[in-house]
Amino acid sequence: KQEVTQIPAALSVPEGENLVLNCSFTDSAIYNLQWFRQDPGKGLTSLLLIQSSQREQTSGRLNASLDKSSGRSTLYIAASQPGDSATYLCAVIKAAGNKLTFGGGTRVLVKP
Amino acid sequence: KAGVTQTPRYLIKTRGQQVTLSCSPISGHRSVSWYQQTPGQGLQFLFEYFSETQRNKGNFPGRFSGRQFSNSRSEMNVSTLELGDSALYLCASSLGPGGAEAFFGQGTRLTVV
């Protein structure tokens, strides 16, 4: 059974600092991995999708890496801003189909 | 381009009642998945539909059911509501059947009293 873990559960940083968010999964036979952002009481916003054949994906200040062999992905957010405060979730898709298995999320607070 | 639309946004129901939630995917997307989000359990997969067929089902009781229509819109139904069914129900839309990027709606907040 695939398990996804995100540590730490919460993180507080001063504005301008780079954010490093971790995601680990137990079964390396994944199809792809997706990072999301969730604001309180809202739905999920897709940030980045990394296919299993890729090592990293970039979008603006965001960069996500994937190491299937070690079961890890890392989301980097450069030069954090207060608007980056949210919960960040990673999810993996194991095989055919679109079932996402989610981690518990990391709640991020960027202090001005 | 319109996103994923879920209706209603908020619902209050009484124990024992039933409820139907609706999800309209992004135009052209044929896969719709449903998730339940609670503070204690996080995000849990309910089921996935593609071309009107249920392809995957999560570990939820039979009180939870769903369907997908020919226009890809989907509904989920929960019968005999329990207090523990209070949650944010999220719908995700994907273009194709396998590993496509998922786009989520704003969710339906269900409160069972």
Side-chain angles (χ1 to χ4, degrees):
Chain A
K1 178 190 170 188
Q2 176 74 273
E3 292 184 1
V4 182
T5 304
Q6 292 183 250
I7 295 173
L11 186 60
S12 179
V13 299
E15 181 178 3
E17 194 166 294
N18 295 333
L19 281 164
V20 180
L21 306 178
N22 299 304
C23 173
S24 62
F25 45 94
T26 53
D27 186 345
S28 62
I30 64 168
Y31 194 78
N32 64 29
L33 183 145
Q34 196 167 352
W35 281 94
F36 296 90
R37 167 191 172 133
Q38 186 176 33
D39 294 290
K42 304 287 187 182
L44 278 62
T45 300
S46 177
L47 297 174
L48 289 168
L49 171 75
I50 310 179
Q51 296 179 343
S52 60
S53 58
Q54 297 176 311
R55 292 294 296 240
E56 68 177 311
Q57 191 69 257
T58 298
S59 176
R61 294 186 295 115
L62 277 57
N63 174 277
S65 66
L66 174 63
D67 184 342
K68 278 180 54 179
S69 61
S70 66
R72 291 181 187 175
S73 177
T74 303
L75 178 66
Y76 301 90
I77 303 177
S80 62
Q81 303 166 0
D84 294 329
S85 298
T87 296
Y88 292 83
L89 295 140
C90 70
V92 299
I93 291 179
K94 186 174 187 298
N98 290 319
K99 173 187 172 182
L100 290 162
T101 301
F102 282 89
T106 296
R107 191 170 66 252
V108 171
L109 175 63
V110 180
K111 294 188 269 190
Chain B
K1 185 173 177 182
V4 181
T5 303
Q6 290 189 245
T7 56
R9 291 291 312 279
Y10 303 93
L11 268 177
I12 300 176
K13 290 286 188 178
T14 305
R15 267 185 306 174
Q17 286 187 313
Q18 71 147 15
V19 67
T20 299
L21 312 181
S22 179
C23 172
S24 293
I26 292 170
S27 179
H29 285 198
R30 295 167 62 193
S31 172
V32 173
S33 300
W34 288 89
Y35 296 82
Q36 181 195 66
Q37 186 175 33
T38 59
Q41 299 296 318
L43 275 151
Q44 292 187 288
F45 171 78
L46 281 157
F47 25 66
E48 177 205 351
Y49 288 88
F50 179 77
S51 293
E52 302 178 67
T53 301
Q54 187 181 89
R55 298 195 331 138
N56 275 304
K57 190 177 191 309
N59 189 25
F60 278 82
R63 300 184 297 106
F64 291 81
S65 63
R67 60 178 175 169
Q68 187 180 32
F69 301 96
S70 58
N71 62 357
S72 294
R73 189 178 71 86
S74 177
E75 289 181 348
M76 68 163 281
N77 183 276
V78 188
S79 62
T80 320
L81 284 165
E82 301 177 359
L83 296 179
D85 297 333
S86 295
L88 181 65
Y89 289 88
L90 292 162
C91 164
S93 159
S94 299
L95 183 62
E101 187 172 4
F103 297 90
F104 281 78
Q106 289 298 297
T108 294
R109 170 72 63 184
L110 172 65
T111 303
V112 182
V113 297

